[in-house]
Amino acid sequence: MLQTPRGTNDLLPAEQAAWDYVSDHFRAICAAYGYGEIRTPVFEDTRLFQRTVGEGTDIVEKEMYTFFDRGGDSLTLRPEGTAPVVRAYLEHGMHRLPQPVKLSYIASIFRYDRPQAGRLRQHHQFGVEALGESAATVDAEVIALLLHLYRNVGLTGLSLQLNSIGDAACRPQYIEELSAYYRSHTHALCENCRNRLERNPLRLLDCKEDSCQPFIHAAPHTLGSLCAACDAHFDTLKRSLEAMDIDYTLNHTLVRGLDYYTRTVFEVWPEAVGRQSALGGGGRYDGLARHIGKRDVPGIGFGTGIERIILNLERQGLASAADVPFGVYVATLGDNAARYGIGLVNDLRQRGIRALMTYKSRSLKAQLRQAGNLGAHYAVIVGDDELEQGKALLRDLNSSTQELVDDSDLAPTLERLRAGN
Ligand code: HAM
């Protein structure tokens, strides 16, 4: 028996309602903040991710689905959404549009990770990227949008973790300090960290090993090494968040798992679970575009896992926040009534009403049971007697009350009931 590949899921119709619920909120909020939706290909030139996400990161070193196509080109299934959006911005000359250009996406993302609850090999992200503006007020807007999404879908108990990791002017000095500190503890570090010390020292702060935690906490902070420009940027961000009453926790160990970040980095954690399963994260990446094209384009954005949002809604008991859509079941008895039923169901569907029926002859009891199982709100019951009178029984399946309705009144009555539902 063949099954879905490890770390991937089928999305079944019963789960679709929750996806639609969160996606509708995401799209409505993006529209309110002026973000237009973009779709990029599922695979890209492998170099796009090597140059931006970074050679020394887990994503590029261990997690990419990379393959040669039949023409011999190296392609990679999108392991994150930011680099493709920046590529599209450059490729389509979006620097000629009013800046910042604000783009949003709903995308499948592929990472060869160890599957567990909330960690998949194919997951999906809502993301936004604001390109072409370096002001920290844009950073604040992006963070506000993310928190607005969580609040509107009903998530609570979240904490915003915030840090600034400097830029090309001040980061080298900080990396020096960090490396010097770690070099004095090399003997006590895990093997991975000894590696990171040589290849990508900032990642030292991201180690999950228990034995390395004391070093992370005692390590020098990026915030202590910011140049004046980065310091002023971070200050404006904090003041803008405060102006919107957004609480944050300064977290000097937050560096994120991708190399392209400059200045602002942030994550949102469910308080009970913490960093291992961040709901969303992002930051500024003013140096990224340079690695793709010949242009400097400042940018800031976030990605948030759709499966993780739904998982957290379930943990909060909110999974049923998505209502079952209004539905009518047409139950018929006898051949003539069955033919009438086919016509009525067709008419209701043309009016956009979810209309259901049985496809073979069944008892009324069995049909009403099926109506309940399918989540119908009303049943229309038609037998030969009703048909002769030009009427049908309209039954409210919640209250089990029913009334006789003229055939010509049925569809308009159901439209009214749907509108009031
Ligand atoms: P990221 O932190 O790697 O950032 O991923 C963003 C979110 O995607 C995570 O917070 C998490 O909710 C979800 N996620 C990541 N990996 C998995 C997984 N294996 N299974 C399930 N969910 C997962 C980025 O990808 C950046 N592109 C975000 C960004 C946008 N930065 C700037 N702009």
Side-chain angles (χ1 to χ4, degrees):
M1 170 64 193
L2 294 173
Q3 296 186 325
T4 51
R6 226 160 94 71
T8 69
N9 284 327
D10 294 318
L11 182 64
L12 302 177
E15 293 142 9
Q16 188 68 48
W19 279 64
D20 288 346
Y21 169 78
V22 291
S23 305
D24 288 350
H25 276 291
F26 177 67
R27 288 207 166 98
I29 289 169
C30 285
Y33 284 72
Y35 284 73
E37 193 165 336
I38 183 169
R39 288 191 201 186
T40 61
V42 168
F43 53 80
E44 298 267 356
D45 187 319
T46 300
R47 289 170 296 180
L48 178 66
F49 303 111
Q50 288 169 335
R51 289 185 194 169
T52 57
V53 175
E55 296 279 7
T57 59
D58 281 355
I59 292 182
V60 170
E61 278 191 347
K62 306 183 207 157
E63 296 175 0
M64 294 208 305
Y65 283 88
T66 297
F67 59 97
F68 288 99
D69 72 4
R70 289 167 195 273
D73 291 330
S74 178
L75 301 171
T76 293
L77 297 185
R78 169 174 58 205
E80 67 99 39
T82 307
V85 170
V86 177
R87 179 207 40 72
Y89 173 97
L90 294 167
E91 191 168 331
H92 300 284
M94 293 192 216
H95 61 279
R96 290 190 288 269
L97 302 174
Q99 307 292 302
V101 172
K102 304 203 281 192
L103 301 167
S104 67
Y105 50 90
I106 302 180
S108 47
I109 306 282
F110 304 85
R111 295 181 186 174
Y112 188 79
D113 212 333
R114 206 165 18 170
Q116 50 187 282
R119 190 169 295 282
L120 297 158
R121 289 185 175 169
Q122 179 186 352
H123 73 276
H124 298 78
Q125 284 185 18
F126 296 134
V128 308
E129 313 294 345
L131 298 162
E133 175 58 66
S134 57
T137 39
V138 184
D139 306 34
E141 180 187 279
V142 162
I143 292 173
L145 194 166
L146 179 62
L147 296 175
H148 194 161
L149 170 68
Y150 295 147
R151 189 173 61 244
N152 277 19
V153 299
L155 289 173
T156 53
L158 304 178
S159 81
L160 169 64
Q161 307 285 313
L162 192 64
N163 195 16
S164 172
I165 56 171
D167 65 4
C170 52
R171 181 117 40 96
Q173 164 83 30
Y174 172 71
I175 298 290
E176 273 302 306
E177 268 179 56
L178 183 70
S179 305
Y181 164 79
Y182 265 95
R183 253 182 248 116
S184 61
H185 299 288
T186 319
H187 59 283
L189 299 178
C190 74
E191 195 187 324
N192 258 336
C193 278
R194 267 181 253 147
N195 231 329
R196 290 181 181 119
L197 184 53
E198 298 312 316
R199 306 196 50 197
N200 197 344
L202 204 56
R203 300 249 66 72
L204 286 161
L205 299 177
D206 217 20
C207 182
K208 309 286 184 302
E209 292 291 329
D210 286 344
S211 58
C212 293
Q213 297 311 306
F215 302 115
I216 293 175
H217 286 285
H221 299 186
T222 48
L223 290 181
S225 306
L226 297 184
C227 58
C230 286
D231 209 33
H233 190 271
F234 197 51
D235 214 53
T236 305
L237 169 60
K238 287 184 293 183
R239 276 189 281 112
S240 306
L241 291 175
E242 283 152 19
M244 291 186 281
D245 285 328
I246 293 177
D247 292 333
Y248 55 83
T249 303
L250 291 183
N251 183 338
H252 72 90
T253 68
L254 188 71
V255 290
R256 308 267 303 134
L258 305 98
D259 275 357
Y260 51 59
Y261 290 111
T262 51
R263 296 187 167 170
T264 310
V265 288
F266 60 91
E267 286 186 355
V268 179
W269 299 351
E271 262 159 12
V273 195
R275 78 184 313 166
Q276 295 287 0
S277 52
L279 255 179
R284 181 163 277 288
Y285 44 84
D286 294 345
L288 192 159
R290 224 342 114 193
H291 295 291
I292 304 175
K294 294 200 171 61
R295 188 173 284 280
D296 281 318
V297 182
I300 165 104
F302 69 71
T304 177
I306 301 180
E307 288 86 352
R308 287 199 192 170
I309 293 177
I310 292 175
L311 190 71
N312 279 275
L313 285 174
E314 282 166 2
R315 282 190 183 137
Q316 277 184 225
L318 283 175
S320 57
D323 291 334
V324 181
F326 182 81
V328 181
Y329 190 98
V330 177
T332 56
L333 286 172
D335 290 347
N336 289 339
R339 265 192 301 281
Y340 167 83
I342 290 174
L344 177 61
V345 163
N346 190 47
D347 179 24
L348 295 175
R349 287 176 179 164
Q350 304 303 318
R351 294 168 191 258
I353 293 176
R354 185 168 73 104
L356 311 157
M357 59 186 273
T358 179
Y359 295 100
K360 60 179 189 224
S361 170
R362 282 178 159 174
S363 71
L364 183 60
K365 199 171 155 200
Q367 290 185 65
L368 290 180
R369 193 179 323 116
Q370 192 185 27
N373 291 342
L374 292 172
H377 295 69
Y378 288 87
V380 173
I381 304 169
V382 196
D384 288 344
D385 286 353
E386 287 83 8
L387 207 57
E388 253 171 42
Q389 298 171 42
K391 291 180 187 295
L393 267 177
L394 180 60
R395 185 179 172 90
D396 180 332
L397 292 171
N398 282 326
S399 64
S400 298
T401 53
Q402 55 189 33
E403 56 174 324
L404 260 183
V405 178
D406 278 344
D407 170 37
S408 56
D409 280 348
L410 261 180
T413 305
L414 285 165
E415 277 182 326
R416 262 199 315 280
L417 290 169
R418 178 184 56 172
N421 190 54

